[in-house]
Amino acid sequence: MAGTPVKILVPGNHLMAGLLGQRDELLRQIEGAFPDVHIAVRGNEVTVDGSGTEAERVASLFHELIILLESGQGLDAVQLKRTIDMMREDVRPSEVLTSELLRSSRGRAVRPKTSGQKAYADAIARNIVTFGIGPAGTGKSYLAVALAVQALQARQVNRIILTRPAVEAGERLGFLPGDMLAKVDPYLRPLYDALHDLLEAEGAQRLIDKGAVEVAPLAFMRGRTLNNSFIILDEAQNTSPEQMKMFLTRIGFGSKAVVTGDMTQVDIPGGRSGLVGLEAVLDGVPDLAFVHLKAQDVVRHKIVADIVSAYDRATDGPDANGHDPGRSGGGGS
């Protein structure tokens, strides 16, 4: 093969098992991802031979994996795939995967798992309003809630406000039993679940009881000015243009807002989504950012990413009957 072999000295035999995997399964995964590169392991030395660019990329990959192992992170096939994807995007995995956003009540570190999630978290930190657009499973809502909890704990805001349009499946709040919290609970359950995972149920309930966390349907935002708050609007693809404008003009001093949505799941009657076309309208507005998460940012089961990719391919052009699914006004959940 062309090029000069690159040698990587692993600092300690104790890291070799984590680096190569059981029965060298991680090593075989790397070899499969870079078929034009030959990798040889002898003791705690790894030699990479191949064309200059690919050999250097694989050598850099091993250096990044060593940093992750030394930081206490374990490697598995899923983590390795994400790391390889980042290397191909010229992103340093160690900068993404060791970035800690929050520690949950159980002491578990909440970190971005992909370069897209890291860009999303960074955008939220830098801007007053951040739009997170992407398919199911990309962590849009979870990361927003984690950063809201972090801001509340750091006393950067006085309260967290969770809101969502209640239009799914054609149901109306009036038909649901119970008081207002009971009525909106089914619609805001994903945000509750994230809050409970980060703070446990008792901690989350204490914040709700003392008003530090407020849960309300989007319609109840009208007429308010929300100061010193971290506001999360979830499922924003189901807002009307009028609702979206109303929400964005509620933001007051000392506040931060995150708007999440999935363009493939528009359930609003008539398909008049307040999220569609909004990026062009708000282009150039300072302290405001749009982050687009993709199938490779899906952190649920691999089949979810595969399903998202299949839908993306299906919307690239007309189907066999001449219909263009990309022009559809709605989407499945």
Side-chain angles (χ1 to χ4, degrees):
M1 291 185 180
T4 303
V6 182
K7 296 184 184 295
I8 303 101
L9 188 65
V10 181
N13 291 328
H14 64 289
L15 296 177
M16 292 303 295
L19 186 66
L20 304 179
Q22 290 187 354
R23 300 185 181 88
D24 292 344
E25 60 181 359
L26 298 182
L27 175 61
R28 288 196 297 273
Q29 186 177 342
I30 296 171
E31 290 174 330
F34 300 93
D36 295 331
V37 170
H38 176 70
I39 304 171
V41 179
R42 186 169 184 175
N44 64 332
E45 185 178 85
V46 179
T47 302
V48 181
D49 195 3
S51 65
T53 303
E54 282 292 86
E56 288 174 10
R57 192 187 299 270
V58 174
S60 296
L61 171 64
F62 275 107
H63 285 300
E64 290 292 309
L65 294 175
I66 290 167
I67 292 172
L68 293 175
L69 289 169
E70 288 182 320
S71 72
Q73 295 201 39
L75 292 177
D76 57 22
V78 174
Q79 181 90 315
L80 178 56
K81 182 183 183 305
R82 291 176 186 150
T83 304
I84 291 170
D85 288 343
M86 286 183 235
M87 293 298 299
R88 286 182 168 143
E89 296 171 1
D90 293 323
V91 174
R92 289 194 62 190
S94 59
E95 292 181 357
V96 173
L97 299 173
T98 60
S99 174
E100 186 174 308
L101 305 179
L102 176 75
R103 283 205 170 261
S104 72
S105 58
R106 302 184 186 95
R108 179 175 57 85
V110 178
R111 297 185 176 97
K113 292 183 169 66
T114 68
S115 56
Q117 287 194 348
K118 178 67 161 57
Y120 178 49
D122 288 346
I124 293 172
R126 287 194 306 265
N127 294 282
I128 295 173
V129 181
T130 303
F131 291 82
I133 314 296
T138 50
K140 305 183 300 295
S141 303
Y142 189 89
L143 288 176
V145 173
L147 289 164
V149 170
Q150 189 275 333
L152 184 67
Q153 291 178 342
R155 301 185 185 277
Q156 296 168 355
V157 296
N158 295 333
R159 59 181 170 171
I160 298 170
I161 298 175
L162 309 175
T163 187
R164 190 178 185 187
V167 298
E168 295 182 6
E171 295 176 1
R172 296 180 181 276
L173 290 175
F175 291 109
L176 296 173
D179 60 14
M180 178 49 63
L181 278 179
K183 288 176 185 290
V184 301
D185 184 85
Y187 295 97
L188 292 156
R189 177 50 53 188
L191 298 177
Y192 272 128
D193 289 344
L195 198 62
H196 288 176
D197 186 59
L198 293 163
L199 297 171
E200 296 191 342
E202 289 184 4
Q205 192 58 51
R206 279 196 300 271
L207 291 178
I208 292 171
D209 290 343
K210 70 178 187 179
V213 173
E214 180 182 342
V215 179
L218 181 59
F220 282 61
M221 297 294 107
R222 190 176 300 279
R224 301 178 63 184
T225 300
L226 306 174
N227 294 318
N228 302 309
S229 303
F230 196 117
I231 314 145
I232 300 172
L233 170 58
D234 198 33
E235 300 289 349
Q237 76 277 0
N238 288 327
T239 61
S240 68
E242 294 79 12
Q243 286 177 318
M244 179 60 77
K245 182 179 179 182
M246 178 273 291
F247 172 78
L248 293 174
T249 54
R250 300 304 95 204
I251 300 167
F253 293 103
S255 289
K256 189 179 287 283
V258 179
V259 179
T260 72
D262 179 356
M263 295 296 201
T264 69
Q265 298 196 46
V266 177
D267 297 311
I268 190 168
R272 288 184 66 248
S273 171
L275 202 54
V276 174
L278 187 61
E279 188 167 0
V281 173
L282 298 179
D283 183 43
V285 174
D287 299 316
L288 183 149
F290 281 79
V291 178
H292 294 270
L293 298 162
K294 302 175 183 177
Q296 56 262 42
D297 296 306
V298 172
V299 293
R300 294 181 187 169
H301 194 287
K302 178 181 179 295
I303 195 171
V304 177
D306 292 341
I307 289 169
V308 169
S309 296
Y311 270 96
D312 286 344
R313 290 192 300 272
T315 56
D316 284 342
D319 60 22
N321 297 318
H323 300 122
D324 188 347
R327 292 184 170 274
S328 166
S333 59

